[in-house]
Amino acid sequence: MGATSDIHVLQFVSGRYEGEQYALLPDAMHLTGRSSESDLVLKDDAVSRKHARFSHHRGRVWLTDLGSRNGTHVNGHKAAQHCLEKGDRIVIGASLIRVDLLPASQLSRANLRQNKKETASGQSMTGSLGDIPLTDVLQWLATSRKTGSLVVQGANVGSLSLREGQVYYARIEGSKVGPQKALLRMLGWTEGTFSLDSALVEEVEDELSIPLDHLLMEAARIQDELAHLAERKKLPTSTVALKLPADAPWSTLDGSKLEMLHAVACGKNWSEILDFLDDDDVVLSTRAVELAAAGMINYG
């Protein structure tokens, strides 16, 4: 936590109150909800009349969900109670919020004011994956039931098609993988930008049928297993090259490893290989480790 003079401030990143701030002043309880009696009023049908409460206790600030209909999400997870830290990302209804710490001297106007701008239907909404991970963006879009096309520029360029907040298609430019793998790949991108065009609606044949929550859990599993694998083995991060001569004949390899060697021979970097082959990132990373150990490839 910051110095005692620092105040937790809610920065509204996306939604109706985008660009606004709300200071969680000490020695006060801040009721948040749709009711006009709330301290922080969010006029949003996805917000309950008494949705959540921010309160101070022993120098910490706590967020408590008050049994709201749609729940309160913190850092991509539904939370009943959470101790706020700088950088936390909160979803309440259709509002996407980042927690900042600011000196008290800067708070003369740091409170929720009259809305300066709204994201209207048909207009574009943009943001940075560094500020708001794609998981949180998709949860916000689901809560606010947005329709349109979300372009994500990270390790590559991808697009997600949404209908009433649900992702029904995903693709990565230059990739042959299906929509599920494309979405899982994009959820692993930590740097880049996103932009929603509510006016662009795409018709496709092979729509995703798996619920978004299941895909988000699968993406989290993949990231956890990759982190665990990286603790034990060196994983490829950028360039991958054939080792010539190889330590063993290619004829000793199975089809999946030959497919990876073919991608390497085509000059693809590691990110492109992950976008090109069908298996998930954990399986492909494990395969690369095995090929390196067998003296077939080198990577950085």
Side-chain angles (χ1 to χ4, degrees):
M1 185 168 175
T4 55
S5 60
D6 288 348
I7 305 296
H8 287 79
V9 176
L10 305 180
Q11 304 278 1
F12 285 76
V13 177
S14 294
R16 179 174 184 174
Y17 301 100
E18 180 181 347
E20 300 297 333
Q21 298 176 317
Y22 185 87
L24 300 174
L25 300 176
D27 302 321
M29 184 171 64
H30 304 266
L31 178 64
T32 302
R34 195 176 70 252
S35 170
S36 59
E37 299 176 357
S38 300
D39 303 292
L40 174 55
V41 179
L42 300 178
K43 296 180 180 179
D44 177 354
D45 289 342
V47 175
S48 298
R49 288 181 57 79
K50 294 182 179 180
H51 194 105
R53 179 179 64 241
F54 295 91
S55 56
H56 292 75
H57 181 66
R58 294 185 177 180
R60 310 303 294 267
V61 180
W62 292 84
L63 166 62
T64 303
D65 183 84
L66 301 177
S68 62
R69 182 178 70 255
N70 293 315
T72 301
H73 291 80
V74 181
N75 300 328
H77 302 283
K78 196 170 185 178
Q81 189 173 60
H82 177 77
C83 182
L84 293 188
E85 298 287 350
K86 181 179 180 181
D88 282 343
R89 306 172 308 276
I90 303 170
V91 175
I92 298 178
S95 290
L96 194 57
I97 304 164
R98 185 182 68 247
V99 178
D100 280 347
L101 280 175
L102 293 179
S105 59
Q106 296 183 16
L107 296 180
S108 59
R109 295 180 60 83
N111 217 322
L112 191 62
R113 301 182 294 273
Q114 184 64 32
N115 220 25
K116 290 183 288 188
K117 61 178 179 177
E118 297 185 11
T119 304
S121 178
Q123 294 181 325
S124 178
M125 178 202 76
T126 62
S128 167
L129 295 177
D131 292 333
I132 306 295
L134 187 57
T135 296
D136 290 2
V137 174
L138 292 180
Q139 287 180 333
W140 172 72
L141 292 171
T143 302
S144 52
R145 302 180 66 84
K146 294 290 185 180
T147 295
S149 179
L150 185 74
V151 176
V152 185
Q153 298 193 37
N156 205 329
V157 178
S159 63
L160 302 172
S161 299
L162 298 108
R163 183 187 300 115
E164 294 292 317
Q166 294 301 307
V167 178
Y168 66 88
Y169 192 71
R171 68 159 59 92
I172 295 174
E173 289 189 8
S175 170
K176 70 172 186 177
V177 297
Q180 180 174 332
K181 169 71 182 287
L183 174 55
L184 292 174
R185 286 287 301 128
M186 282 184 268
L187 286 168
W189 296 350
T190 57
E191 297 180 355
T193 61
F194 60 87
S195 176
L196 175 70
D197 187 344
S198 299
L200 183 58
V201 180
E202 185 177 18
E203 295 295 332
V204 298
E205 293 182 359
D206 50 340
E207 292 192 5
L208 283 168
S209 58
I210 302 176
L212 178 60
D213 285 349
H214 291 186
L215 291 171
L216 294 180
M217 287 190 291
E218 175 65 6
R221 179 197 65 81
I222 289 172
Q223 296 308 310
D224 287 345
E225 291 191 14
L226 280 175
H228 182 63
L229 182 61
E231 292 175 355
R232 297 178 286 113
K233 303 290 184 178
K234 179 183 177 182
L235 303 184
T237 57
S238 53
T239 58
V240 185
L242 297 177
K243 183 178 180 182
L244 299 175
D247 290 354
W250 283 23
S251 59
T252 62
L253 302 177
D254 62 26
S256 62
K257 289 180 179 176
L258 286 173
E259 187 180 35
M260 179 171 285
L261 287 180
H262 174 71
V264 174
C266 290
K268 297 182 182 296
N269 63 33
W270 183 239
S271 178
E272 291 170 335
I273 290 172
L274 291 175
D275 290 341
F276 184 73
L277 301 178
D278 287 327
D279 291 311
D280 69 42
D281 290 13
V282 176
V283 171
L284 294 177
S285 296
T286 301
R287 191 172 299 156
V289 169
E290 293 171 350
L291 284 170
M296 301 289 189
I297 63 173
N298 296 310
Y299 51 73

